[in-house]
Amino acid sequence: MLPIKKGCVGRRVVCHACTGLSKRLLGLKMHGSDAARPLKSRRSGPLRGTAAIPGDKSISHRALILGALTVGETRITGLLEAEDVLNTAQAMRAFGAQVVRGAAGEWMVHGTGVGGWAEPENVLDFGNSGTGSRLVMGAMATTAITAVFTGDASLRGRPMARVLDPLQLFGATYTSRVGGLMPVTLSGAELSICVDHKVEVASAQVKSAMLLASLNAPGRSRIEQGELTRDHTEKMLAAFGAKISVEALPHGEAIHVTGEVELVPCTVDVPRDPSSAAFALVAALIVPGSDVRIPSVLLNPRRAGLVQTLIEMGADIVVENERESGGEKIGDLSVRASTLKGIDVPPERAPSMIDEYPILAVAAAFAEGRTVMHGVEELRVKESDRLSAITAGLKANGLVTAETRNSLTVEGRGLGGVPGGARVATHLDHRIAMSFLTMGLASKNPVSVDDISMIATSFPEFEKLMRDLGGDFQVVNA
Ligand code: S3P
C-alpha cells in the first residue's frame, strides 16, 4: 500500500500532488462559485454523427468508494470526470485513501480497507450529489469515526433520513437539521451489528448504503427491497471479492452480505452512461432527418427502461453488438428521427428509468397523442421536484400537461408541433436543463434555460457533444 499523504486530507480543492490536476484544469467549473449561465437552443438541421458519451455516474461513484475500502491498487478507466464524482473522489481522500488521476478518465485508488477509514478533518461537501453522499454515509456507518456531510442548496433540501434511519440499525447515530436535512453529522457504530432490513423506498442509493454498511458489521446482513433498483453495487461488490448473494423473492429480492471480509483490488472499466446518452437519443428522434450512433452504452436491464419505452412509442432505435464489459451489459445504439406515439408507461418500469423522465417528457411532447407516466413519486425528491419542474417547463412552452402526486400526463403535439419559446427554470437540476435544451432543438421557437452551470455535475461535455452532432445553441444574457 502507498503511504497516505496526510496533507491531502480534507481539502476542498483537488490536491495537485495527488492528481496532478485541479478541477479547473480538468475543465470543470464548480457551479457553486459561478453566476447563473443561461443558454438557448434553436431548431436545428438533422443531427448526424457519433456521440461519445462519458462514463456512467453510478458506477463511477461506486468504483471510487469500493477502491477506498480496499487495500492495494484499484484501477479505474473511463471514470466520469464530472463534479459529482470528483466530490466523491475528494471525500475518499478525506477518509485517508490515495486517489490519483493518470490519463483522462484513468484513476488509481489506494484504499485503507473495510473498517480502515480515518476520520475526516473537515466537513465533506458533496455538492449536488445525492448518490455520492448517501453511499458514503453507508460506507462509513459501521466504522467508529464521525463525519459531517453537506452539499449545495439542492442537496441540502433532499431527504437524508431515508438512509440515516436504517443505518442506525447497525449502531450508527446522527444529528441533522429538522426533517433529516443536511448538514448531517454521522457517527459510525462503535460496535456494529448485522441487520435484517427491508428498504421501504424504491431507492438504489438507500439499498447500496445498507450493503456498504454491512461490509464492516460482523455476521450476515440481509437487505430486502420490493422493487428491482439498479444493481451496480451488488455486481461490483462481487467483483471486489465480497461475500454477497442475491435471493429472488416473489416481490423483489433479498441481498445477503457477510461482514468483516476483506475486499480485493480490481480493475473497473466504466461503461458509458445511459442517463447522459438519453439526451442525444431523444434529440436524434425529434429533429427531422437525424441519424446518430451512440456506441458502448451501459445496457444493464435495470437502467434500460427509456430505450424500451421509446421503442414502444415507435422509435427507430437499433441495438447492436450487445456484449459484456466489466460485468455489465453494453451495446451500440443507432437512432433515427421517428414518428412517436403516446403510451402508458407502467409504474413497475420507474426504477429502470428513474433519471430519464424529464427527457421522456420531452419525447412525449413530440409524440402523437397522450403519454401517461405512472408511479413516478420518487421524482419529487430528486435534484429538484422534477414533476413540478417538468410540468412548469412544458406549460411555459405551450404544452398541455398535468401532474398528480405520482403521475405525469403529457399531451403530445407531434413532430414539428411543439411551440417552445419560453425560458425554463432549472432549480439547480442538471437533467431539467439538458432536457429543455434538447426540446429547443426541435420546437418551433427557441427554448432557453436559466442556468447551465449544473450540467457540469454529471455531463460537462453536453453542449459540445450536442453541437458536434449539429445542435444549434446560443449563449444569452442572464
Ligand atoms: C442512483 C440511484 C437513483 C438515481 C441516481 C443514481 C444510484 O437515486 O436517481 O441518479 O447511483 O444509486 P435513488 O436511489 O434515490 O432512486
Side-chain angles (χ1 to χ4, degrees):
M1 198 179 91
L2 289 177
I4 296 161
K5 289 185 186 165
K6 275 286 176 200
C8 309
V9 171
R11 284 208 205 140
R12 180 76 177 80
V13 176
V14 173
C15 172
H16 289 240
C18 295
T19 65
L21 282 168
S22 70
K23 286 174 185 171
R24 190 177 51 76
L25 289 173
L26 278 168
L28 302 172
K29 282 191 155 192
M30 297 303 288
H31 66 264
S33 58
D34 289 337
R37 288 192 294 140
L39 188 69
K40 183 184 273 186
S41 57
R42 295 187 293 203
R43 189 169 247 197
S44 306
L47 304 181
R48 298 274 162 82
T50 297
I53 303 296
D56 186 70
K57 184 149 71 78
S58 294
I59 294 179
S60 296
H61 284 297
R62 286 159 173 81
L64 290 168
I65 295 167
L66 288 191
L69 289 170
T70 309
V71 176
E73 180 169 292
T74 288
R75 194 167 155 267
I76 308 168
T77 59
L79 188 91
L80 172 66
E81 294 177 335
E83 285 183 11
D84 279 8
V85 175
L86 295 180
N87 281 324
T88 293
Q90 193 64 347
M92 294 305 97
R93 294 189 183 102
F95 284 109
Q98 276 210 331
V99 184
V100 180
R101 183 180 192 258
E106 197 181 307
W107 291 65
M108 270 65 68
V109 184
H110 285 259
T112 51
V114 170
W117 282 10
E119 189 161 278
E121 289 173 5
N122 205 347
V123 173
L124 304 173
D125 185 348
F126 283 88
N128 196 243
S129 183
T131 307
S133 55
R134 291 180 176 134
L135 264 55
V136 171
M137 286 174 185
M140 65 147 283
T142 45
T143 300
I145 53 175
T146 292
V148 185
F149 292 73
T150 194
D152 67 10
S154 158
L155 191 58
R156 291 197 309 274
R158 296 180 67 186
M160 292 296 146
R162 55 171 47 200
V163 61
L164 291 164
D165 286 348
L167 288 175
Q168 292 188 115
L169 300 172
F170 289 100
T173 55
Y174 76 93
T175 54
S176 69
R177 281 197 297 135
V178 174
L181 300 181
M182 282 180 173
V184 160
T185 301
L186 177 62
S187 294
E190 295 278 346
L191 278 176
S192 52
I193 49 169
C194 57
V195 305
D196 182 346
H197 176 70
K198 179 165 182 190
V199 176
E200 295 296 348
V201 278
S203 164
Q205 293 174 359
V206 177
K207 172 184 68 174
S208 298
M210 295 300 281
L211 297 177
L212 294 171
S214 305
L215 290 173
N216 200 35
R220 196 161 88 128
S221 292
R222 178 183 178 278
I223 311 300
E224 185 181 332
Q225 193 167 44
E227 290 82 6
L228 300 181
T229 58
R230 66 191 70 190
D231 55 0
H232 308 306
T233 308
E234 295 90 307
K235 285 188 150 93
M236 211 182 281
L237 277 172
F240 274 78
K243 270 190 153 179
I244 181 168
S245 61
V246 181
E247 176 195 351
L249 301 174
H251 297 288
E253 59 193 15
I255 303 148
H256 303 266
V257 178
T258 302
E260 298 185 320
V261 173
E262 263 190 42
L263 301 182
V264 291
C266 255
T267 297
V268 182
D269 297 319
V270 182
R272 298 176 193 269
D273 196 328
S275 301
S276 296
F279 303 105
L281 188 62
V282 170
L285 289 173
I286 62 176
V287 176
S290 297
D291 188 350
V292 170
R293 216 176 109 75
I294 311 176
S296 307
V297 180
L298 175 68
L299 290 177
N300 179 320
R302 297 189 188 190
R303 297 285 301 281
L306 178 72
V307 172
Q308 183 186 351
T309 302
L310 290 171
I311 289 173
E312 283 174 19
M313 291 172 80
D316 181 351
I317 301 172
V318 180
V319 183
E320 289 165 318
N321 298 325
E322 286 185 51
R323 54 205 188 270
E324 242 200 41
S325 170
E328 293 280 3
K329 186 173 152 190
I330 65 167
D332 306 332
L333 305 181
S334 295
V335 49
R336 285 195 218 154
S338 306
T339 302
L340 302 174
K341 63 175 193 305
I343 61 163
D344 264 38
V345 188
E348 60 275 11
R349 198 173 295 165
S352 68
M353 53 180 297
I354 195 64
D355 291 333
E356 281 71 81
Y357 284 98
I359 192 63
L360 175 63
V362 169
F366 288 89
E368 312 274 355
R370 173 180 297 175
T371 295
V372 188
M373 306 165 211
H374 301 275
V376 291
E377 61 270 27
E378 275 294 302
L379 296 189
R380 299 227 176 259
V381 289
K382 294 297 176 190
E383 286 81 335
S384 67
D385 174 346
R386 283 191 178 151
L387 281 182
S388 299
I390 295 167
T391 48
L394 291 178
K395 279 183 179 156
N397 283 289
L399 278 305
V400 174
T401 174
E403 59 177 298
T404 67
R405 183 184 58 79
N406 62 357
S407 75
L408 177 66
T409 302
V410 180
E411 305 290 347
R413 298 286 290 258
L415 280 184
V418 172
R423 174 174 287 202
V424 173
T426 53
H427 303 284
L428 297 177
D429 191 329
H430 55 132
R431 297 199 203 282
I432 295 296
M434 291 186 278
S435 296
F436 281 99
L437 286 171
T438 302
M439 171 183 264
L441 300 176
S443 53
K444 290 181 189 162
N445 301 293
V447 174
S448 60
V449 300
D450 62 3
D451 189 14
I452 59 162
S453 50
M454 306 305 298
I455 292 174
T457 62
S458 71
F459 192 178
E461 304 85 344
F462 170 80
E463 187 184 333
K464 176 172 185 329
L465 184 145
M466 298 292 264
R467 278 186 195 274
D468 288 349
L469 292 177
D472 186 353
F473 295 93
Q474 191 186 26
V475 176
V476 285
N477 293 329

